[in-house]
Amino acid sequence: MSRYRISKYNPLLRDERGCFIGEDWTSFSDIGKKYNGKVLTNLQYIDVEAKYMDAIITVLHQSQVNTMIVEKLEKQFSASTLKKMLGRYNLQFTQLDAEFVSQIKNGLRLDMTEIKKTVMLVLRDCFWCELLSETGEVKIEFGYDYYVYIQGVNIETSTISSVRLRPCRERRER
């Protein structure tokens, strides 16, 4: 079974075992801290987060997977705690996000829009889960330090290249 790792880290900065040896942020809670002489902004964080969501949705579309099922769900925080936690870093946690978090449960079948929302909320530490296709062949796992793993898919080389080489969207901070 194939297994892929989605990672924002520079592949040139890995040791012989494949471990990242550079200095880089690993969580939304690193917003405002300096890495390689530059302060991580919430807009830069959101840009990377969006690329992860786009990569996952692209792979699922290519694999003809339209729904995923929530497995191994772990929730730690109330909606009000999440709103405060994310607000400290100028990240939105809307009423719709709060409703989604309160309604998510093991066995819940998610469509593409809900998969994207789930990826965002897991990356923001709102909860943790795994996602499994209805056939059980495709699985998405979320790891520590902003890693996401997808197994049970065969990703075309052109897709890997397009995701890897996708340019950052230019954004201006106000």
Side-chain angles (χ1 to χ4, degrees), residues 8-110:
K8 66 181 190 63
Y9 305 111
N10 184 339
L12 300 175
L13 297 176
R14 294 191 178 274
D15 65 17
E16 62 281 348
R17 296 174 299 144
C19 296
F20 181 71
I21 55 173
E23 177 187 342
D24 210 338
W25 59 270
T26 60
S27 170
F28 73 90
S29 63
D30 290 329
I31 293 171
K33 297 177 184 173
K34 272 189 179 183
Y35 293 90
N36 299 311
K38 295 181 182 178
V39 174
L40 175 65
T41 68
N42 67 326
L43 293 178
Q44 290 166 327
Y45 171 85
I46 290 167
D47 190 54
V48 172
E49 182 182 79
K51 288 178 182 176
Y52 271 67
M53 291 185 290
D54 290 346
I56 290 167
I57 297 302
T58 298
V59 169
L60 292 177
H61 277 303
Q62 187 180 83
S63 302
Q64 299 178 344
V65 173
N66 298 311
T67 59
M68 298 291 283
I69 298 169
V70 176
E71 299 287 331
K72 301 181 183 176
L73 179 66
E74 296 176 13
K75 293 184 192 180
Q76 295 182 20
F77 306 109
S78 68
S80 61
T81 299
L82 292 171
K83 186 172 178 85
K84 288 177 196 169
M85 183 172 75
L86 295 171
R88 285 186 215 124
Y89 302 96
N90 293 319
L91 295 174
Q92 287 188 339
F93 186 76
T94 66
Q95 183 61 36
L96 290 175
D97 294 336
E99 290 170 14
F100 187 83
V101 170
S102 71
Q103 294 171 4
I104 196 163
K105 61 184 179 191
N106 282 319
L108 184 65
R109 186 173 180 240
L110 305 174

Side-chain angles (χ1 to χ4, degrees), residues 72-157:
K72 301 181 183 176
L73 179 66
E74 296 176 13
K75 293 184 192 180
Q76 295 182 20
F77 306 109
S78 68
S80 61
T81 299
L82 292 171
K83 186 172 178 85
K84 288 177 196 169
M85 183 172 75
L86 295 171
R88 285 186 215 124
Y89 302 96
N90 293 319
L91 295 174
Q92 287 188 339
F93 186 76
T94 66
Q95 183 61 36
L96 290 175
D97 294 336
E99 290 170 14
F100 187 83
V101 170
S102 71
Q103 294 171 4
I104 196 163
K105 61 184 179 191
N106 282 319
L108 184 65
R109 186 173 180 240
L110 305 174
D111 64 21
M112 283 298 194
T113 301
E114 294 164 326
I115 293 167
K116 198 170 181 178
K117 172 74 79 178
T118 299
V119 171
M120 180 192 79
L121 293 170
V122 170
L123 290 174
R124 292 184 183 187
D125 295 334
C126 294
F127 57 85
W128 184 88
C129 68
E130 292 180 354
L131 300 175
L132 193 63
S133 67
E134 293 189 68
T135 64
E137 294 175 7
V138 178
K139 183 178 185 179
I140 299 174
E141 299 174 85
F142 300 90
Y144 292 103
D145 295 340
Y146 225 77
Y147 285 106
V148 177
Y149 302 92
I150 301 179
Q151 67 183 35
V153 295
N154 288 312
I155 303 175
E156 296 172 13
T157 304

